[in-house]
Amino acid sequence: MSNGHSFPDLRGAATGVGSLPGTDAREAARTSTGALEQLPFLPELPARGPGADMIGRGAGLLVELFAQTEPSGWRFTDRPGRDTRRARAWLGEDLDALEEYTQGYRGALKVQAVGPWTLAASIELKYGEKALADRGACRDIAGSLTEGLRRHLDDVRRRIPGAEVVLQLDEPSLPAVLTGGVKTASGFQRLRSVDRQVAEEALREVIRGVDVPVVVHCCAPAVPLPLLRRAGVVGVSLDFSLLTDRADEELGEAIEAGTVILAGVVPSTDQGVSDPAGSVQGVRTLWRRLGFAPELLGRRVLVTPTCGLAGASPAYARQALSLSARAAQSLVDNPE
């Protein structure tokens, strides 16, 4: 069950995954809004340093939980420090820039935040083991994140009143969390797998707790589609190149149930891609194989780069978003 919200009704839409290269918030906002007419996104600029990265930004969103960087990575601490302040200041800067470039905008808008399981798999507790090892800590993170997301989404809606906001939860670690693939803080062992029902329940609580449609992005192999659907997502964003034939049935069931697929097909690092329509050929082939009506393709599948664009050159990042937009339009114009 979703939280009562559905994905915006778009046709031939593209979006970015989240990160862009460089450190200039205004340039990033201009790129996102300029290249993506139907679903621009709030960019993340990890090149600025700790606090601008996905985990740091997520830590900055937490309410009454604080984290700082240590030589080993992010770790929970008793009070907000420089890293928390920096994460919040950069998020404010990014929102200021997006607000400037969306004056009078009416339509869908995507914001991203790291999901509870990837956060728990990435931040260490005070004594040094990852939070994922402590079920109570995992619950606290999910609750704190939900409250932080509510505040963040309220802020976005206040700044951009015409926006129909979609929240993307980034969960690249979720498959490893479910299969016992997350390494301990020492790196020598792996943490016990999290029960699938527990993982699903935590995601469901976060999704229920926010008043917007939620998609989950996972750029790892073996995305747990049925679990995500049961947790209430309205869309799943994945790296299309990692799909295997085994995923056909789960994808087919998801699409039939109304789940929107954000297909990562445009390379996320500099490559010569001259044929946008060609980059979505695999999507068309899958659609045919699953037996869905061609005219539904451009409504149920959005096009994105395969992952974030932080590692690309600024020129290629702009090109990748424009290519995604052109490829998405080709799914409407030539679905077969």
Side-chain angles (χ1 to χ4, degrees):
M1 276 297 296
S2 77
N3 57 6
H5 292 273
S6 52
F7 197 86
D9 187 18
L10 307 173
R11 284 190 60 188
T15 191
V17 171
S19 64
L20 287 175
T23 57
D24 184 336
R26 291 181 75 247
E27 179 59 33
R30 184 161 63 228
T31 296
S32 169
T33 54
L36 304 163
E37 283 177 28
Q38 294 194 61
L39 189 56
F41 64 99
L42 173 67
E44 298 166 2
L45 299 173
R48 290 183 294 203
D53 59 304
M54 179 176 76
I55 301 303
R57 173 161 285 188
L61 286 171
L62 295 174
V63 174
E64 292 176 8
L65 286 178
F66 313 104
Q68 64 188 26
T69 51
E70 303 281 344
S72 60
W74 286 92
R75 182 176 288 187
F76 283 112
T77 177
D78 289 324
R79 57 186 63 82
R82 191 186 58 195
D83 294 327
T84 302
R85 285 194 295 274
R86 207 161 39 187
R88 291 175 180 169
W90 275 328
L91 177 57
E93 201 178 290
D94 294 340
L95 284 165
D96 288 344
L98 190 68
E99 186 178 358
E100 181 186 338
Y101 283 96
T102 49
Q103 292 295 312
Y105 176 74
R106 301 197 68 78
L109 172 75
K110 182 168 76 71
V111 298
Q112 309 79 228
V114 64
W117 292 110
T118 297
L119 212 47
S122 306
I123 304 184
E124 295 174 2
L125 298 169
K126 286 171 213 161
Y127 63 78
E129 191 45 89
K130 287 187 176 158
L132 186 65
D134 182 323
R135 294 295 176 258
C138 291
R139 278 195 299 276
D140 291 347
I141 289 169
S144 170
L145 178 64
T146 305
E147 182 55 37
L149 286 171
R150 274 202 287 260
R151 295 179 187 185
H152 175 43
L153 292 163
D154 284 347
D155 189 19
V156 172
R157 284 186 288 231
R158 195 166 50 246
R159 290 165 175 267
I160 310 165
E164 193 180 346
V165 182
V166 175
L167 171 65
Q168 171 185 305
L169 291 176
D170 290 315
E171 283 284 17
S173 300
L174 183 58
V177 166
L178 296 172
T179 56
V182 176
K183 288 184 174 168
T184 56
S186 68
F188 295 126
Q189 289 170 302
R190 293 179 192 278
L191 294 171
R192 259 200 354 256
S193 62
V194 170
D195 180 79
R196 294 179 92 83
Q197 217 168 339
V198 171
E200 181 186 317
E201 189 53 41
L203 281 168
R204 186 182 296 115
E205 288 298 308
V206 176
I207 291 167
R208 273 191 192 146
V210 296
D211 193 24
V212 294
V214 176
V215 304
V216 164
H217 168 71
C218 182
C219 53
V223 178
L225 283 166
L227 182 154
L228 294 175
R229 280 177 49 216
R230 289 193 303 269
V233 303
V234 298
V236 179
S237 166
L238 35 75
D239 180 342
F240 206 74
S241 68
L242 298 177
L243 289 178
T244 61
D245 292 346
R246 282 214 308 274
D248 271 17
E249 192 180 334
E250 289 180 356
L251 263 175
E253 285 171 1
I255 294 163
E256 203 161 349
T259 307
V260 170
I261 304 298
L262 290 82
V265 293
V266 174
S268 49
T269 49
D270 296 40
Q271 284 180 34
V273 183
S274 52
D275 175 20
S279 65
V280 282
Q281 199 48 52
V283 176
R284 288 192 187 88
T285 305
L286 174 73
W287 201 255
R288 261 200 312 274
R289 199 163 68 229
L290 294 174
F292 291 117
E295 60 272 15
L296 276 178
L297 179 53
R299 302 183 88 120
R300 305 300 278 284
V301 176
L302 283 78
V303 177
T304 74
T306 52
C307 212
L309 293 164
S313 66
Y316 179 75
R318 285 191 294 274
Q319 188 192 0
L321 294 179
S322 299
L323 282 166
S324 298
R326 278 162 43 209
Q329 188 56 45
S330 84
L331 291 180
V332 175
D333 298 340
N334 309 299
E336 297 193 69

